[in-house]
Amino acid sequence: MKKLLFTLFIGLLSIALVACGGNDDAGNDGDSKEAEGNKKLVVGATLVPHAEVLEQAKPLLKEKGIDLEIKEFTDYILPNVALHEKEIDANYFQTPGYLDLQLKDNPNFDFVSVAEIHKEPIGIYSKEYRNLNELPDGAKIIMSNSFSDHGRILPIFEREGIITLKEGVGDQARVEDIVDNPKNLDFSTLIEAKLLATSFENGEGDAVVINTNYALEGGVNIAEDGIAFEGDDVVPANLIVVNKGDEDREEIKALVEVLKSEEIQKFIEEEYAGAVISVQ
């Protein structure tokens, strides 16, 4: 009986010691994590080039005590929804025109832009024709269903003398603002921007207008298949956008500083060979 009681005592003592040891280890892990002291920053971005640029920014932000988490999106809608719901701290994908349209359509969004990072000229691509003047009568032009893009696309055709737009519409131009269309071009605006590269590769339309990020993501040969692009002087910048009130957060300021650094500008220049242009 004494032997049994002694065995039970030893067993209970061992369990107690293990439990104490476990608590000490947990405490040490907590101290270790606390010692790191890094702040977390979650940024939403479309895949190319935005998420790729952010990947290059990760180690630079790490040096500033910030752990960057990139949340990738494949469309233009969800990054703003996620920002509004505070699932992310900032997003990096949109232009001023798109942001203005989103704020107009969603009064509950309370966003501000904190920086212009890079520009992506929209391009017109064709497998058969080498310039806009070669397009035949009645040619089908496929472009996105995003109205904010139309005011960037249609002036490309007007600049080349292919169409004439209503006077004064500027970057708010819509297809219905075309007042002269000698070639009777058929502008189709039913496809989501993210599907344009697929339409092009499938040979749909005589020409397809593709946002540069989706052209890069879809493997479109920008140099060989591009037949016309936005002028450098009119290309809008891609923005870092945050919820109003967060613009002065240290992490947001550090993000902007890093994305405008010489290291990131050099990466953009070398990686995208002019298809993406850094904003100084």
Side-chain angles (χ1 to χ4, degrees), residues 150-170:
H150 297 180
R152 300 174 58 188
I153 295 166
L154 295 173
I156 303 174
F157 288 88
E158 185 177 48
R159 185 187 67 207
E160 298 291 328
I162 307 300
I163 64 171
T164 302
L165 294 168
K166 187 185 300 181
E167 188 175 352
V169 292

Side-chain angles (χ1 to χ4, degrees), residues 3-272:
K3 184 175 181 181
L4 176 62
L5 289 175
F6 178 75
T7 301
L8 287 173
F9 172 75
I10 293 298
L12 290 172
L13 180 61
S14 298
I15 292 171
L17 288 172
V18 169
C20 289
N23 287 337
D24 287 344
D25 289 343
N28 289 337
D29 287 345
D31 291 342
S32 176
K33 290 177 182 177
E34 186 177 343
E36 290 179 6
N38 282 8
K39 296 179 180 179
K40 183 178 178 182
L41 183 67
V42 184
V43 180
T46 46
L47 305 181
V48 182
H50 308 84
E52 292 179 344
V53 173
L54 289 172
E55 282 291 346
Q56 299 299 311
K58 269 187 176 181
L60 300 177
L61 284 167
K62 191 85 168 179
E63 293 173 4
K64 295 177 179 291
I66 297 170
D67 290 328
L68 175 63
E69 178 182 329
I70 304 166
K71 186 168 184 179
E72 296 181 349
F73 294 89
T74 58
D75 69 2
Y76 290 160
I77 303 297
L78 294 179
N80 278 335
V81 174
L83 182 61
H84 171 66
E85 295 178 354
K86 299 188 176 180
E87 296 172 1
I88 57 178
D89 300 298
N91 65 39
Y92 173 36
F93 78 100
Q94 60 194 318
T95 61
Y98 185 77
L99 175 60
D100 289 344
L101 189 62
Q102 285 281 289
L103 294 177
K104 181 180 178 181
D105 292 345
N106 301 276
N108 56 331
F109 287 175
D110 195 12
F111 303 156
V112 293
S113 165
V114 295
E116 298 180 342
I117 304 303
H118 74 262
K119 296 182 178 183
E120 301 172 19
I122 282 183
I124 303 171
Y125 299 85
S126 178
K127 290 183 176 293
E128 187 172 354
Y129 306 103
R130 303 322 309 153
N131 58 64
L132 295 183
N133 287 306
E134 286 186 9
L135 292 172
D137 289 351
K140 184 175 182 179
I141 313 299
I142 298 177
M143 47 198 268
S144 84
N145 60 1
S146 175
F147 287 127
S148 64
D149 286 343
H150 297 180
R152 300 174 58 188
I153 295 166
L154 295 173
I156 303 174
F157 288 88
E158 185 177 48
R159 185 187 67 207
E160 298 291 328
I162 307 300
I163 64 171
T164 302
L165 294 168
K166 187 185 300 181
E167 188 175 352
V169 292
D171 62 5
Q172 300 300 310
R174 303 289 183 265
V175 171
E176 54 267 29
D177 293 319
I178 299 173
V179 295
D180 190 25
N181 183 6
K183 287 178 176 283
N184 295 309
L185 300 180
D186 175 17
F187 290 94
S188 174
T189 62
L190 302 177
I191 297 181
E192 289 184 60
K194 65 182 179 180
L195 300 177
L196 290 168
T198 301
S199 292
F200 174 72
E201 295 299 342
N202 289 341
E204 299 173 14
D206 294 286
V208 182
V209 189
I210 312 177
N211 305 70
T212 297
N213 59 316
Y214 288 129
L216 290 167
E217 187 180 327
V220 175
N221 191 316
I222 293 175
E224 288 189 10
D225 295 324
I227 63 174
F229 295 88
E230 283 181 286
D232 291 347
D233 57 330
V234 296
V235 183
N238 281 226
L239 311 171
I240 296 295
V241 175
V242 301
N243 283 298
K244 192 172 183 180
D246 285 347
E247 55 266 48
D248 291 327
R249 283 177 55 187
E250 289 183 10
E251 304 95 305
I252 299 299
K253 288 183 176 181
L255 174 67
V256 171
E257 181 183 344
V258 164
L259 291 179
K260 284 187 166 292
S261 68
E262 185 177 340
E263 293 94 326
I264 297 300
Q265 289 182 6
K266 184 177 180 182
F267 168 78
I268 290 173
E269 179 183 345
E270 294 179 351
E271 182 71 13
Y272 304 111

